[in-house]
Amino acid sequence: MDYLPIYMNLRGRRVLVVGGRGVSARKVAPLRQAEAEVTVVAPGTVRTLGEMHGLCEIQWIVRGYQRQALESNWALVYTATDPAVINQARSEAGKHRAF
């Protein structure tokens, strides 16, 4: 099986989304509906994420991804950037944080 459907109670839990484009925006919307505390790390974002930040619905760290971002206590981390090889590298970096 390539993918595992997962259900998590994210209400009030911290979630990191790496990337600020369309894929990230599609990930953030259901996370907000689940009442997660969402932080986006990206040098720029699409308009919808910028608006969410302006309304204090999400936090936005305005910079590119740095490995230290994984050192915080996140309930979930999404990597939603291009190209896929970068996402894979970030996935590998996050595996050491598994608990």
Side-chain angles (χ1 to χ4, degrees), residues 43-76:
T45 67
V46 293
R47 188 181 78 232
T48 55
L49 291 176
E51 290 170 354
M52 286 182 193
H53 177 257
L55 295 170
C56 298
E57 295 176 356
I58 65 170
Q59 293 182 358
W60 175 21
I61 299 171
V62 185
R63 66 169 165 73
Y65 167 80
Q66 297 173 356
R67 189 177 178 133
Q68 303 91 293
L70 296 178
E71 293 175 4
S72 292
N73 189 22
W74 304 105
L76 185 65

Side-chain angles (χ1 to χ4, degrees), residues 7-26:
Y7 293 90
M8 295 177 69
N9 181 354
L10 294 174
R11 180 175 289 141
R13 301 206 48 210
R14 297 177 66 228
V15 176
L16 177 66
V17 177
V18 179
R21 297 199 176 256
V23 173
S24 299
R26 289 190 298 275

